[in-house]
């Protein structure tokens, strides 16, 4: 690795695959992630920290639920909706899941068109993603309203263990906050894309380092993470 | 990123086999994570199918170990698809992949600890605080 250290070349030399490559990257007294840009590496590291936060929430929920002797409310019934005179279990949550997955699909395609420098398609797909996200938050607001009207509070609920209320508001509230921030982030970046900031290398918030369209991918990483967290919440909170 | 930028315009993308060897992954990265749109649509479709399956587990009211193994299986598959394809982890440099993916796996140790802890707490509550009717 000595010759790479002497030149300014950050492109790594051809090297062994697998663990040898990892050991070389980490021990090389250079940037460990080589051709991964700082912006992207930092977003990943932020997401790692966020993973720990959500892990702690889900873990405390698990601990509360497993250790209480009071019956836990059945989410399947709690989140059922009466449609056409028939109780359909968990239907609202299922629709919210599909909305969020769709937003991930449009986001993934936005990243692709971003690298192809197709400004209009990228911005349109990002706005579509933001719209799906806003829809999700709207449905969550509906869900919260319904439960609050039925008497669910952070300190109790009509159907059993008090910890149900605190877990519910804590976990879904924190996730909803992430979605809301994501929607704002998406709209801000989509506007810059549409205006052509990354082609003319215009300076500004989040564009101070001249962007190729990598910021679209970084925004996408955040957005997919929000979807990823929902996968775990859906499985562990609503289906348990 | 200067060299990567040069490659950005120069290199064409080959959809086959880029997940398999390290050299190909360098090329794919250099031109900025461009993969065929069809791949995203296929993953999107699979996420829909897997979510529907998760939902059906509840709808049909499966219980016990069957319910748990199905729920966790669909959860892990969905998470894997999102991270690997949508977040491009399958094509990232291994140094980054392991730095990001290994720490969350260690959370499983924490999970195991808390399962023991909550079982113990539950036992104590049953023994000492159960209503004596």
């Amino acid at each position: 690795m000595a010759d790479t250290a002497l030149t300014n070349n950050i492109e790594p030399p051809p090297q062994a695959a697998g663990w040898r490559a990892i050991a070389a990257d980490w021990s090389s007294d250079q940037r460990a992630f080589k051709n991964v840009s700082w912006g992207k590496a930092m977003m990943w590291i932020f997401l790692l920290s966020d993973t720990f936060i959500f892990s702690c929430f889900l873990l405390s929920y698990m601990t509360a639920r497993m250790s209480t002797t009071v019956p836990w409310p059945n989410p399947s019934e709690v989140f059922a909706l009466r449609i056409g005179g028939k109780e359909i279990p968990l239907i609202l949550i299922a629709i919210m899941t599909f909305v969020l997955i769709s937003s991930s699909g449009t986001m993934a395609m936005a990243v692709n068109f971003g690298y192809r420098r197709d400004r209009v398609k990228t911005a349109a797909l990002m706005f579509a993603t933001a719209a799906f996200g806003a829809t999700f938050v709207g449905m969550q607001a509906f869900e919260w309203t319904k439960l609050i009207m039925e008497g669910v509070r952070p300190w109790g609920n009509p159907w059993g263990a008090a910890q149900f209320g605190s877990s519910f508001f804590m976990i879904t509230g924190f996730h909803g906050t992430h979605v809301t921030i994501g929607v704002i982030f998406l709209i801000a970046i989509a506007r810059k894309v549409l205006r052509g900031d990354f082609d003319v290398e215009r300076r500004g918030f989040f564009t101070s380092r001249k962007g190729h369209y990598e910021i679209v991918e970084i925004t996408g990483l955040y957005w997919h993470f929000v979807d990823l967290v929902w996968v775990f919440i859906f499985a562990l909170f609503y289906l348990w | 990123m200067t060299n990567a930028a040069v490659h950005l315009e120069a290199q064409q993308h080959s959809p086959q086999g880029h997940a398999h060897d390290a050299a190909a992954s360098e090329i794919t990265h250099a031109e900025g994570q461009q993969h065929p749109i069809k791949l995203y649509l296929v993953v999107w479709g699979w996420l829909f199918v897997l979510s529907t399956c998760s939902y059906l587990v509840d709808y049909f009211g499966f219980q016990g170990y069957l319910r748990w193994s199905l729920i966790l299986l669909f959860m892990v598959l969905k998470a894997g698809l999102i991270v690997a394809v949508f977040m491009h982890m399958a094509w990232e440099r291994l140094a980054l992949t392991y730095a990001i993916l290994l720490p969350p796996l260690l959370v499983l140790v924490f999970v195991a600890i808390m399962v023991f802890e909550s079982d113990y707490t539950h036992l104590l509550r049953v023994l000492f605080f159960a209503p004596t009717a």
Side-chain angles (χ1 to χ4, degrees), chain A residues 9-10 15 22 25 34-35 40 44 59 67-68 76 89 98 101-102 112 115 217 221 224 239-240, chain B residues 1 3 26 29 32-33 35 40 44 48 51-52 55 58 67 87-88 92-93 98 100 110 122 125:
Chain A
N9 190 352
I10 58 160
Q15 55 179 343
I22 296 167
D25 279 359
K34 299 293 188 309
N35 52 1
K40 194 150 108 178
W44 267 115
L59 261 165
S67 62
T68 180
S76 186
F98 287 125
I101 286 174
S102 299
N112 205 305
Y115 281 124
E217 188 189 346
L221 285 180
H224 294 308
L239 294 178
W240 181 351
Chain B
M1 291 307 292
N3 283 328
E26 295 299 311
H29 179 85
Q33 300 293 1
H35 310 291
Y40 294 127
W44 191 349
F48 257 80
S51 296
T52 308
Y55 178 70
D58 187 68
R67 182 188 185 91
M87 300 173 94
H88 310 124
E92 290 294 359
R93 199 174 182 79
Y98 282 94
I100 300 300
F110 198 3
H122 186 261
R125 282 175 174 165

Side-chain angles (χ1 to χ4, degrees), chain A residues 132-214:
Chain A
F132 278 126
T135 309
F136 178 89
V137 176
M139 293 170 84
Q140 193 167 60
F142 171 79
E143 180 196 21
W144 274 47
T145 311
K146 181 169 171 282
L147 288 192
I148 291 170
M149 304 260 273
E150 285 169 351
V152 181
R153 297 289 181 273
W155 52 87
N157 68 77
W159 314 287
Q163 296 95 324
F164 175 81
S166 38
S167 306
F168 172 76
F169 288 118
M170 185 79 158
I171 294 172
T172 62
F174 210 69
H175 179 262
T177 310
H178 274 74
V179 178
T180 310
I181 294 171
V183 168
I184 296 167
F185 194 21
L186 277 167
I187 292 173
I189 300 298
R191 176 171 161 269
K192 285 170 190 293
V193 168
L194 197 60
R195 200 168 56 178
D197 284 14
F198 303 111
D199 286 332
V200 300
E201 294 175 6
R202 173 175 172 151
R203 290 187 156 269
F205 191 54
F206 276 111
T207 49
S208 53
R209 281 168 173 271
K210 56 179 178 172
H212 315 296
Y213 280 74
E214 195 183 35

Side-chain angles (χ1 to χ4, degrees), chain B residues 1-77:
Chain B
M1 291 307 292
T2 45
N3 283 328
V6 172
H7 287 290
L8 232 149
E9 313 299 335
Q11 263 148 352
Q12 264 305 321
H13 166 63
S14 74
Q16 294 92 349
H18 45 210
H20 303 301
D21 63 68
S25 109
E26 295 299 311
I27 294 164
T28 322
H29 179 85
E31 43 131 33
Q33 300 293 1
Q34 276 200 46
H35 310 291
I37 291 285
K38 191 184 164 208
L39 176 65
Y40 294 127
L41 292 176
V42 167
V43 170
W44 191 349
W46 271 108
L47 289 175
F48 257 80
V49 170
L50 290 169
S51 296
T52 308
C53 290
S54 296
Y55 178 70
L56 289 180
V57 169
D58 187 68
Y59 191 83
F60 291 133
F62 293 141
Q63 294 303 330
Y65 283 113
L66 176 65
R67 182 188 185 91
W68 264 110
S69 34
L70 286 177
I71 287 174
L72 291 181
L73 174 71
F74 296 139
M75 179 184 84
V76 169
L77 287 177

